[in-house]
Amino acid sequence: MEKKIYLPDMDTLMKMQSMGGDVYRYLETKAIESIIMRGIEYPNEGILKNTYKYLRENPHIAYPICTLYPSEVKYSQVAQSEPALCLKVLQSNYSKSKSSLDQLASFNDSAFENLSVVLTVIRMLEEELTKNPRYRFEYTPNTLVDKIFNGEFSSDIEKWMFYRRSKDENLQSLANIEPSYAAAIDDPRIDTRSILAIGIRKYAGRYQIDPRSSYGYIGKDILTHPDGNVKRLIRCIKEKNR
């Protein structure tokens, strides 16, 4: 089963932008995921080896990828010259690992209609991605985790948001996995702007993306009139899902 990298439609991206979300950093993270996922699915092409040079030599793209997959350093000149990255690689301990979440592949959709199962998986997935971000690319495919990653919970969020944990906590956990979920619910009792901001920060943070990469874009409309960098990020994400 091919794993996709979810990109919200333009209406959702515009809503995230209107909520004050750092959409540039969000798109940058999506582009990094797209590059890695394509390399995992097509190992003969590699992750950075055949990536566009303007992405391969962009430190905000190359450093996070090389931190997770140190063998990619040899394909990026900018990465080869960075002492801080060298120290990160020496200290990193990411490796292909199994998680109990992989056992979900043995179950069918009937099991995933249970609210307790859904919320338990969201909590466990949030924790797994925090400690091992490579799990995003290496998990055993199953319909529930695929649905979470692919933004497909937006349509029925309301039916389980109040279950057990508070609505804020449930939405924050989900937004930490896929930030666009914060834009999927309209409830004046919930600070969705804050949930979105935290979600994007944690989403990009698990790949150790330099927060300064988006400084020139904060507070600007980058979607109506995207510059070259924004266009390249969106193209990178869309190419993965063709």
Side-chain angles (χ1 to χ4, degrees):
M1 181 188 300
E2 182 182 358
K3 300 173 183 175
K4 294 183 178 294
I5 298 299
Y6 171 65
L7 178 65
D9 59 29
M10 187 55 66
D11 287 343
T12 302
L13 288 173
M14 291 293 289
K15 184 175 182 181
M16 292 169 66
Q17 182 174 262
S18 71
M19 292 168 65
D22 188 345
V23 175
Y24 184 86
R25 196 175 186 202
Y26 174 75
L27 292 174
E28 191 172 48
T29 309
K30 289 287 182 187
I32 288 170
E33 288 187 335
S34 298
I35 293 168
I36 295 175
M37 191 70 84
R38 183 170 181 83
I40 295 294
E41 293 179 346
Y42 301 98
N44 289 337
E45 294 185 15
I47 297 176
L48 284 178
K49 184 178 180 181
N50 291 307
T51 298
Y52 293 116
K53 185 176 181 180
Y54 58 75
L55 295 172
R56 187 175 67 242
E57 300 302 334
N58 178 342
H60 300 302
I61 299 290
Y63 294 175
I65 291 174
C66 292
T67 300
L68 292 186
Y69 294 92
S71 61
E72 297 301 309
V73 170
K74 61 179 174 286
Y75 298 115
S76 171
Q77 292 182 359
V78 69
Q80 293 171 17
S81 305
E82 178 51 51
L85 176 63
C86 182
L87 290 173
K88 278 186 180 180
V89 167
L90 289 173
Q91 297 164 3
S92 68
N93 59 357
Y94 299 129
S95 61
K96 186 175 180 64
S97 63
K98 289 293 183 181
S99 164
S100 58
L101 287 167
D102 287 335
Q103 301 302 321
L104 292 172
S106 301
F107 296 86
N108 63 35
D109 290 353
S110 295
F112 302 151
E113 293 174 1
N114 180 276
L115 298 180
S116 183
V117 170
V118 170
L119 292 181
T120 297
V121 169
I122 290 172
R123 176 182 54 79
M124 291 180 62
L125 183 58
E126 177 191 13
E127 293 174 354
E128 185 67 34
L129 292 171
T130 299
K131 68 182 182 182
N132 181 21
R134 281 176 57 159
Y135 190 71
R136 171 66 182 91
F137 315 103
E138 299 171 357
Y139 74 95
T140 301
N142 63 84
T143 55
L144 181 52
V145 172
D146 288 341
K147 184 176 181 180
I148 294 170
F149 280 139
N150 293 341
E152 296 173 13
F153 264 85
S154 297
S155 60
D156 56 5
I157 269 183
E158 291 288 351
K159 78 177 184 183
W160 55 265
M161 287 300 293
F162 283 112
Y163 189 70
R164 290 193 178 179
R165 301 166 75 196
S166 74
K167 196 170 186 177
D168 302 62
E169 290 176 320
N170 288 335
L171 185 58
Q172 188 65 74
S173 290
L174 197 55
N176 292 347
I177 298 170
E178 170 47 57
S180 65
Y181 283 117
I185 192 166
D186 292 308
D187 188 330
R189 296 168 296 180
I190 297 178
D191 186 0
T192 51
R193 292 174 66 94
S194 176
I195 289 174
L196 175 63
I198 293 171
I200 292 177
R201 186 170 70 245
K202 292 200 171 186
Y203 177 51
R206 70 178 181 239
Y207 301 117
Q208 302 184 45
I209 299 172
D210 189 338
R212 295 172 296 180
S213 65
S214 63
Y215 279 5
Y217 295 91
I218 295 175
K220 296 181 179 179
D221 181 357
I222 68 169
L223 299 172
T224 304
H225 302 291
D227 67 5
N229 289 330
V230 174
K231 289 179 181 178
R232 288 168 176 170
L233 293 177
I234 293 175
R235 180 173 68 176
C236 176
I237 301 163
K238 288 183 175 180
E239 284 184 348
K240 163 63 189 73
N241 293 328
R242 282 180 182 171

